[in-house]
Every structure is written in structure tokens, then in C-alpha cells.
Amino acid sequence: MTTTMNTSARAAAELLVLLGGPANIAANADYCATRLRITVRDLHAVRGHALHDHRIVLSIIKRPNSEIDIVVGHCTAATLSLLINVAVAEALAEAEQE
């Protein structure tokens, strides 16, 4: 894995924890040019201040229906979306096996 991918994978894992973990993600993470769009099950499980202070986060926009836009900058959102979706899918697969 390249240094950029390692950094992105680490950031995605950190953001996932701050969003309340894989079980708190209600739908696949989506993205636009500069934003990571995530719908969570429980907004109270999101560590908003820590999320806002994360080194990769430029700003956070809370939308209706428990949707959060995390502004991360150009080209970063697509990578983070993919990595978070993979992590959530892996966590769900592990939970089904238990």
C-alpha cells in the first residue's frame, strides 16, 4: 500500500470510530467532489467535536434525517467513502458469522 493509501485508510478508520462505529452507519457512505456523505443511525453516538477537530476534516454539515456531510477536500472524499464502506461491510460480515 502506498503512503497516501495508508494515510487514507488510517483516516477512514479514525473517522468511522468518531461516527459511532460500523454499526452506527445506516447506509453506504457517499461522496461528492469535496464531501463525504454519511447517514448514521444515532446522532448522539457521533463524537462531533472530535470529528470536527480531526486533521483531515475541514468542516461538518449536519443535514436532516441523520445525514452528515464531512468536508475533506478534493479527491479525498471518494477514497474515504470506499474505505469506510469496505470497513462497514467487513464488520457486518463478522457480526453475521458470530
Side-chain angles (χ1 to χ4, degrees), residues 2-3 6 11 18 20 26-27 43-44 48 51 74 76 79 89 91 93:
T2 66
T3 303
N6 284 337
L18 297 175
L43 277 173
H44 297 291
L51 186 60
H74 185 64
T76 306
T79 303

Side-chain angles (χ1 to χ4, degrees), residues 24-40:
N24 197 39
I25 305 302
N28 280 343
D30 198 5
Y31 64 93
C32 67
T34 61
R35 297 178 185 185
L36 180 62
R37 293 189 170 141
I38 299 180
T39 303
V40 296

Side-chain angles (χ1 to χ4, degrees), residues 47-68:
R47 295 173 44 202
H49 291 294
L51 186 60
H52 188 270
D53 291 342
H54 192 278
R55 69 186 179 287
I56 202 167
V57 174
L58 302 175
S59 68
I60 298 170
I61 302 163
K62 291 184 180 176
R63 298 196 176 277
N65 301 323
S66 299
E67 187 177 300
I68 301 171

Side-chain angles (χ1 to χ4, degrees), residues 12 25 48 50 85 88:
I25 305 302
N85 287 335
V88 170

